[in-house]
């Protein structure tokens, strides 16, 4: 290990100290390239000229993100970066973080948001990115291959998302920009539930299927809309209003001199949800879902002397979230779908809140009078970097030091109220029970109370210190750049007993010859406190190579080819997993105690030996190879980049199989799993102009497919029952072959000889019928086979086009995802299983099996009883989750500099539409979230941008 440590240091110092008497000015090989090649690429903890990097990366700007009217910055990334999969979360204001995956998944232990996230070169939690304003973002870059991520060592195995905020620039006067937008959103798709009449008549039908008497003597009574005894309540209309409103405003100041440069932002966001009449009782006591945010940022760069420069990044963000007290948005929307329209009225005839002993949840009452839950988050992000040039000792050498403190704290404040609700009593004939005076009678639920509580329950803190040397120098046709840096990180959060601590060295050396041939060596020697002494550090090297063919003589004078580069990389990275730590130790765990003393005695707590340790416990490691091409053609009108990759992950933690229970012991997870991941990414952009008309069009594609190479499992009777050879989280289920029909049964209702049986229940006509995979005549878990895809799409496409003409500008972006399967059983169980456990009935069951619809039915027979045969995983519940969505369309107009506008730089007005239409293959639902929970929104925004 020590030799590896020294080798990195020696490599960097050799580059720094060699040939002291060589030329003292850096020869920039970029001069032999085409215009625009000085552009830098952000690599998180380093940067490099775009033409000179050998890594697989992709960058978008803050201007790209501003085309989406999303309160959460991360949701603006959807579909815009090939290789980054953004899985939409809830639509609830303030609780809408998505899941992020770089190049899909290659481990069953590292799911969404386990990628490394860096802000201005320092690690942060995802909660530090989501509240950022698009107008403070300079760039967002995804680092994909080992050449880009090896320097991250134990944190680079799932890829890196690096965000850079804007810096000041040298200008003659202050550049002031004001931006404001007002957005109106409406739900894309709400679940479609049946009205009271259809509910009651179909409930009677389900009871008949179960051999039970009818519950509702006259379903026609429920056709009325104003009968409290026979209610017909549309709970979605009662609880939700048609629109939500998002307001976003910010003011920025940018400028500076050669001695001091600055960027300052002040921003305010106000996002109100779609709960109706949430402040009906008290305007100061509203419970509508709300999210309010205040952003403050100041980035300053100072040139204190010829050699000494200092950079300071300061950001403070406050977030206030308001929701109804005592239940989450998912609880509200689950009940909106589960409570039948016929259950009870919103309010009884005597103006008390309606209720029902079966459901116990009046959404309108609880929304208006259960209290409010307020959370207040404070985000502080600070970073200081100091650079001292050491040219007087070694030309091109500099010393840097960096330190950051990033943290978040969330405090809560609750107003807690309870009020009574009342069930209007009815008899067995479904008629109201009246008292002696002819008045309705009621049964009371709940009590009247009120209280207030506050506290703090969430926090995280991520501190980083880094120091080292940088080198950048040219010798004629030879140019060297490199660094050796030491870094230490400390990460703590609520619920954590021991902080996550990592430290080590990282370094890189990039060499190019005459702007044609590039070699990049990078590595990290890093360790974590999670592992046993002597096994805490690992070496993670990578090598990248690039060949700029456009600088070769045979292409140098070609007008068709302006820039062409081939690149390749190979290397190793790793991942620690906070969910699995210190597995090399043996711990005592809770166990049965004993009693001491007379009579019943006093129970004394007991302890047991924990699992046997994994003495070889280590990190998951990933080796990756990547081949890429970058090109600019047709006088830089056509840009193209493409990558193909192959990754192999080893040491995946997994529980060992085949340890008999009678042994009395168990093992910690072992590093035995192996998986591979391969795919490609491509991006193509064409831009041109015809006179004053400028236009552009682009397309991106990204594909990633994983496969389990080795995974521990108990012995199985058939090969298809093993996970090995299939995708991680592969969909599995029984293969459906229609429904059991009446002809499958004899006169006594018993299955005929030769008809496949099911071990899950005694089937009836209208139940799902499956393929007997192992041919034993009985359907059971051994007939479950792998099928279709996973919930994470394998293929993501993006299409972008736009133009500018005489002050007008237009931009549209469409995203498509493919090779994706969703499970109604997992994500929409209540929606697809009517009446069971007092559930409602939805449009999904509008064509349920009956003897009359046996040939055309699209869902099983109705039943009020739990039927495990119809609840088992099967392809019947799996749906094509592909979709195509218009993510954004923007139309803007920039006013000419006339009249009072002459003193302004620019003034622009714009209209933005987001998620305006979706094409998918799901009936009555939208594919992205299956219309479950707080709905996703389509929005229309009007905005103004002014620069002074």
């Amino acid at each position: 290990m020590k030799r590896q440590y020294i080798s990195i240091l020696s490599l960097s110092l050799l580059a720094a100290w060699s040939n002291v008497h060589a030329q003292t000015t850096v020869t920039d090989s970029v001069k032999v390239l085409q215009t625009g090649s000085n552009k830098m690429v952000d690599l998180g903890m380093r940067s490099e000229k775009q033409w000179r990097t050998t890594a697989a990366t992709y960058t978008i700007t803050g201007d790209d993100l501003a085309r989406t009217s999303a309160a959460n910055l991360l949701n603006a990334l959807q579909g815009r970066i090939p290789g980054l999969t953004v899985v939409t979360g809830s639509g609830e204001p303030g609780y809408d973080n998505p899941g992020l995956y770089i190049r899909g998944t290659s481990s069953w232990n590292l799911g969404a948001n386990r990628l490394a996230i860096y802000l201005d070169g320092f690690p942060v939690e995802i909660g530090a990115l989501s509240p950022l304003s698009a107008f403070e973002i300079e760039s967002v870059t995804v680092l994909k291959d080992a050449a880009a991520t090896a320097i991250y060592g134990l944190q680079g195995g799932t890829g890196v998302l690096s965000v850079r905020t804007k810096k000041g620039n040298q200008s003659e006067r202050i550049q002031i920009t004001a931006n404001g937008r007002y957005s109106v959103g409406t739900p894309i798709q709400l679940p479609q539930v049946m009205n009271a009449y259809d509910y009651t008549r179909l409930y009677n039908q389900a009871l008949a299927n179960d051999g039970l008497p009818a519950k509702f003597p006259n379903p026609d009574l429920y056709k009325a809309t104003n009968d409290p005894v026979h209610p017909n309540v549309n709970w979605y209309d009662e609880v939700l209003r048609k629109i939500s409103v998002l307001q976003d405003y910010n003011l920025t100041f940018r400028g500076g001199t050669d001695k001091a440069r600055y960027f300052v932002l002040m921003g305010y966001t106000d996002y109100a949800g779609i709960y109706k009449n949430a402040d009906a009782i008290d305007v100061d006591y509203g419970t509508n879902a709300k999210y309010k945010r205040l952003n403050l940022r100041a980035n300053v760069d100072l040139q204190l002397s010829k050699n000494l420069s200092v950079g300071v990044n300061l950001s403070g963000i406050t977030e206030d979230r308001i929701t109804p007290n005592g239940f989450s948005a998912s609880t509200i929307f689950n009940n909106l779908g589960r409570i039948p329209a016929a259950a009870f009225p919103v309010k009884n005839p005597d103006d008390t809140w309606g209720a029902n002993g079966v459901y116990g949840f009046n959404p309108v009452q609880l929304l208006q009078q259960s209290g409010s839950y307020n959370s207040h988050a404070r985000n502080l992000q600070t970073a200081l970097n100091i650079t001292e040039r050491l040219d007087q000792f070694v030309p091109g050498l500099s010393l840097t030091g960096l330190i950051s403190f990033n943290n978040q704290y969330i405090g809560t404040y609750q107003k807690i109220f309870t009020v009574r609700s009342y069930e209007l009593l009815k008899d067995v004939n479904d008629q109201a029970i009246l008292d002696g005076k002819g008045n309705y009678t009621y049964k009371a639920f709940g009590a009247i109370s009120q209280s207030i509580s506050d506290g703090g329950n969430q926090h995280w803190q991520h501190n980083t210190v880094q120091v080292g040397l940088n080198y950048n120098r040219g010798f004629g046709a030879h140019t060297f750049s490199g660094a050796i840096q030491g870094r230490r990180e400390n990460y703590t959060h609520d619920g954590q007993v021991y902080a996550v601590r990592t430290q080590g060295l990282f370094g890189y050396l990039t060499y190019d010859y005459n702007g044609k041939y590039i070699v990049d060596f990078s590595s990290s020697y890093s360790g974590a406190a999670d592992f046993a002494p002597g096994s805490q550090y690992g070496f993670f090297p990578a090598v990248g190579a690039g060949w700029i063919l456009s600088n070769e003589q045979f292409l140098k004078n070609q007008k068709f080819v302006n820039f062409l580069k081939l690149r390749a990389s190979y290397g190793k990275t790793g991942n620690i997993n906070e969910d699995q730590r210190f597995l090399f130790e043996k711990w005592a765990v809770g166990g049965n105690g004993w009693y001491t003393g007379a009579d019943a005695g006093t129970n004394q707590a007991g302890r047991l030996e924990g699992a046997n340790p994994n003495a070889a416990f280590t990190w998951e490691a990933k080796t990756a190879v990547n081949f890429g091409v970058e090109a600019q053609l047709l006088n830089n009108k056509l840009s193209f980049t493409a990558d193909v990759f192959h990754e192999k992950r080893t040491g995946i933690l997994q529980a060992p199989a085949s340890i008999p229970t009678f042994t009395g012991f168990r093992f910690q997870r072992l590093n035995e799993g192996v998986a591979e991941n391969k795919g490609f990414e491509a991006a193509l952009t064409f831009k041109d102009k015809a006179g004053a008309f400028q236009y552009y069009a682009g397309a991106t594609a990204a594909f990633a497919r994983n496969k389990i190479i080795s995974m521990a499992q108990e012995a199985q009777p058939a090969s298809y029952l093993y996970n090995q050879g299939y995708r991680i989280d592969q969909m599995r289920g029984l293969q459906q072959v229609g429904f059991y029909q009446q002809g499958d049964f004899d006169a006594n209702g018993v299955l005929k000889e030769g008809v496949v049986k099911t071990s899950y229940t005694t089937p009836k006509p209208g139940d799902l019928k499956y393929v007997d995979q192992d041919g034993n005549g009985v359907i059971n878990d051994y007939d479950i086979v792998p099928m279709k895809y996973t919930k994470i799409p394998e293929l993501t496409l993006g299409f972008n086009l736009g133009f500018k003409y005489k002050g007008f500008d237009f931009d549209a972006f469409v995203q498509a995802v493919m090779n994706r399967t969703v499970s109604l059983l997992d994500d929409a169980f209540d929606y697809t299983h009517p009446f069971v456990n007092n559930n409602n009935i939805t449009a999904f069951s509008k064509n349920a099996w009956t003897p009359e619809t046996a040939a055309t039915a699209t869902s099983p027979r109705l039943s009020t009883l739990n039927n495990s045969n119809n609840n088992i995983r099967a392809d019947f519940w799996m749906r094509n989750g592909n979709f195509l969505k218009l993510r954004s369309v923007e139309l803007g107009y920039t006013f000419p500099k006339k009249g009072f506008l002459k003193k302004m730089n620019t003034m622009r007005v714009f209209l933005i539409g987001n998620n305006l239409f979706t094409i998918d293959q799901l009936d009555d639902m939208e594919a992205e979230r299956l219309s479950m929970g707080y709905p996703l929104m389509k929005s229309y925004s009007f905005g103004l941008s002014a620069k002074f």
Side-chain angles (χ1 to χ4, degrees), residues 905-925:
N905 191 338
T906 59
M907 177 175 285
R908 177 176 177 266
V909 294
F910 56 87
L911 295 171
I912 297 177
N914 293 125
N915 299 327
L916 296 187
F917 75 83
T918 304
I919 299 174
D920 59 43
Q921 299 186 44
L922 271 72
D923 295 331
D924 309 318
M925 294 187 243

Side-chain angles (χ1 to χ4, degrees), residues 199-380:
Y199 170 83
T200 53
R201 70 177 180 85
L202 292 173
Y203 195 91
N204 284 345
Q205 179 183 313
L207 290 170
N209 291 341
D210 299 331
L212 299 173
K215 179 180 179 180
F216 301 98
N218 186 5
D220 287 338
L221 294 174
Y222 288 87
K223 290 182 178 180
T225 58
N226 58 352
D227 182 357
V229 181
H230 307 97
N232 185 11
V233 181
N234 186 320
W235 289 106
Y236 287 97
D237 284 349
E238 294 292 337
V239 170
L240 306 180
R241 58 181 183 174
K242 300 298 183 184
I243 64 170
S244 66
V245 175
L246 170 64
Q247 301 178 69
D248 183 59
Y249 309 99
N250 65 79
L251 184 65
T252 67
F253 303 85
R254 196 175 194 179
T257 66
D258 59 342
K259 302 296 184 183
R261 298 172 302 280
Y262 56 87
F263 172 82
V264 177
L265 174 137
M266 297 179 289
Y268 175 74
T269 300
D270 188 339
Y271 188 11
I274 57 172
Y275 298 147
K276 180 189 290 186
N277 298 326
D279 57 355
I281 306 301
D282 185 345
V283 69
D284 296 322
Y285 158 71
T287 57
N288 188 18
K290 293 181 181 179
Y291 175 69
K292 295 184 179 182
R293 185 179 72 224
L294 179 65
N295 294 64
L296 298 173
R297 172 171 294 279
N299 293 346
V300 179
D301 294 286
L302 304 174
Q303 191 69 43
L304 299 181
S305 69
K306 177 183 177 181
N307 294 323
L308 179 62
S309 59
V310 176
V312 180
N313 290 7
L314 296 174
S315 173
I317 302 173
T318 64
E319 299 174 274
D320 289 285
R321 298 172 173 88
I322 300 176
T323 59
N325 182 70
F327 48 89
S328 64
S330 61
T331 303
I332 294 176
F333 283 92
N334 286 345
N335 279 280
L336 290 180
R338 288 194 73 252
I339 301 174
F344 53 85
V346 176
K347 281 198 170 184
N348 295 311
D350 62 353
D351 204 38
T352 57
W353 290 110
N356 183 295
V358 174
Y359 298 98
F361 193 103
N362 183 328
V364 181
Q365 171 204 348
L366 293 176
L367 181 66
Q368 294 186 7
Q369 290 197 296
S370 68
S372 62
Y373 181 91
N374 300 50
S375 73
H376 176 75
R378 300 189 294 272
N379 301 270
L380 180 63

Side-chain angles (χ1 to χ4, degrees), residues 9 84 129 277 332 346 469 531 561 613 635 695 755 800 826 835:
L9 180 62
L84 176 67
L129 290 190
N277 298 326
I332 294 176
V346 176
L469 296 170
F531 309 105
V561 179
N635 291 325
Y695 59 95
V755 179
N800 179 235
D826 293 337
F835 303 139

Side-chain angles (χ1 to χ4, degrees), residues 220 447 576 633 661 760 787:
D220 287 338
I576 56 176
L633 311 172
T661 304
Y760 301 109
M787 53 183 60

Side-chain angles (χ1 to χ4, degrees), residues 27 29 83 146 185 191 291 308 326 352 380 458 501 531 536 554-555 612 632 670 688 708 732 799 831 888 899 924:
T27 299
S29 301
Y291 175 69
L308 179 62
T352 57
L380 180 63
Q458 297 181 47
R501 294 189 177 95
F531 309 105
Q536 295 175 321
F554 58 84
L555 283 179
N612 289 342
Q632 294 179 11
L670 305 177
D688 200 1
I708 298 172
R732 289 173 173 267
F799 307 94
Y831 188 83
S888 70
D924 309 318

